[in-house]
């Protein structure tokens, strides 16, 4: 790539750092990049990329960027939020005896998804037992990850998502964080 003063070499990593993490770039390299017009196109590209990153990139594009630029690391923390459960409609407006508010259902389910809809977690409560299923919408096996269930801040480790996590407690979850190691 272009060099300038005193045999200082400016490479792609320097240009990326100049835009995304300017505090991590040496001052002499900053001055060279700012003064050398031959870097303007690449700097502009990274500026647009940085602006677009605020909007949010899909994981495919993030993966491609991380393969090309060593300083760009994928976030391994994915926040999942509860989906609204569909309302149960009653036939002819009649209430059944089992439809009483005092009775609690023996099984409840709650579904969580991330913003990109790439991961889905299903929490099934059967009485005093809970099963937690973790799915990839891309049909991938997810290996070596943790989930954190809020608001209790309960942490569980999975070797992979081929089997559900079975717990001998009933869990109430508002949100779940997936941490891939």
């Amino acid at each position: 790539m272009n060099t300038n003063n005193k045999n200082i070499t400016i490479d792609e990593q320097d240009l990326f750092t100049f835009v995304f993490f300017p505090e991590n770039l040496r001052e002499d390299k900053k001055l060279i990049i700012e003064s050398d017009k031959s870097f303007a196109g690449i700097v502009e590209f990274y500026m647009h990329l940085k602006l677009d990153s605020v909007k949010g990139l899909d994981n495919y594009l993030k993966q491609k960027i991380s393969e090309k630029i060593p300083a760009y690391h994928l976030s391994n923390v994915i926040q999942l939020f509860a989906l609204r459960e569909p309302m149960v409609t009653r036939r002819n407006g009649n209430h059944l005896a089992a439809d009483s508010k005092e009775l609690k259902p023996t099984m409840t389910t709650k579904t969580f998804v991330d913003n990109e809809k790439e991961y889905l977690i299903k929490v099934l409560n059967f009485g005093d037992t809970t099963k937690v299923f973790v799915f990839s919408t891309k049909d991938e096996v997810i290996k070596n990850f943790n989930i954190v269930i809020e608001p209790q801040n309960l942490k569980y480790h999975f070797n992979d998502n081929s089997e559900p996590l079975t717990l001998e407690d009933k869990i109430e979850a508002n949100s779940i964080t997936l941490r891939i190691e």
Side-chain angles (χ1 to χ4, degrees), residues 36-75:
D36 191 335
K37 301 296 181 210
S38 67
F39 297 124
I42 298 170
V43 168
E44 185 177 340
F45 168 78
Y46 283 130
M47 291 287 213
H48 288 291
L49 185 63
K50 185 176 181 181
L51 289 174
D52 287 342
S53 71
V54 174
K55 297 176 194 171
L57 301 173
D58 66 9
N59 280 343
Y60 174 77
L61 186 53
K62 289 177 184 176
Q63 179 66 39
K64 289 297 180 188
I65 292 169
S66 70
E67 290 170 5
K68 300 288 182 191
I69 303 170
Y72 183 85
H73 299 285
L74 284 176
S75 172

Side-chain angles (χ1 to χ4, degrees), residues 49-138:
L49 185 63
K50 185 176 181 181
L51 289 174
D52 287 342
S53 71
V54 174
K55 297 176 194 171
L57 301 173
D58 66 9
N59 280 343
Y60 174 77
L61 186 53
K62 289 177 184 176
Q63 179 66 39
K64 289 297 180 188
I65 292 169
S66 70
E67 290 170 5
K68 300 288 182 191
I69 303 170
Y72 183 85
H73 299 285
L74 284 176
S75 172
N76 62 348
V77 178
I78 298 119
Q79 187 69 40
L80 294 95
F81 301 97
L83 286 178
R84 291 182 63 182
E85 298 297 323
M87 298 295 284
V88 177
T89 57
R90 298 180 180 101
R91 287 189 202 159
N92 302 331
N94 294 331
H95 294 270
L96 302 174
D99 197 20
S100 173
K101 289 183 181 177
E102 291 82 28
L103 296 176
K104 292 190 177 188
T106 58
M107 184 180 93
T108 59
T109 66
K110 206 164 192 181
T111 305
F112 298 84
V113 295
D114 63 306
N115 287 334
E116 287 81 28
K117 311 273 189 293
E118 291 185 11
Y119 299 96
L120 181 136
I121 296 180
K122 194 87 165 173
V123 178
L124 294 121
N125 286 312
F126 309 98
D128 290 334
T129 302
T130 301
K131 286 195 176 195
V132 180
F133 296 84
V134 179
F135 303 99
S136 164
T137 60
K138 294 180 178 181

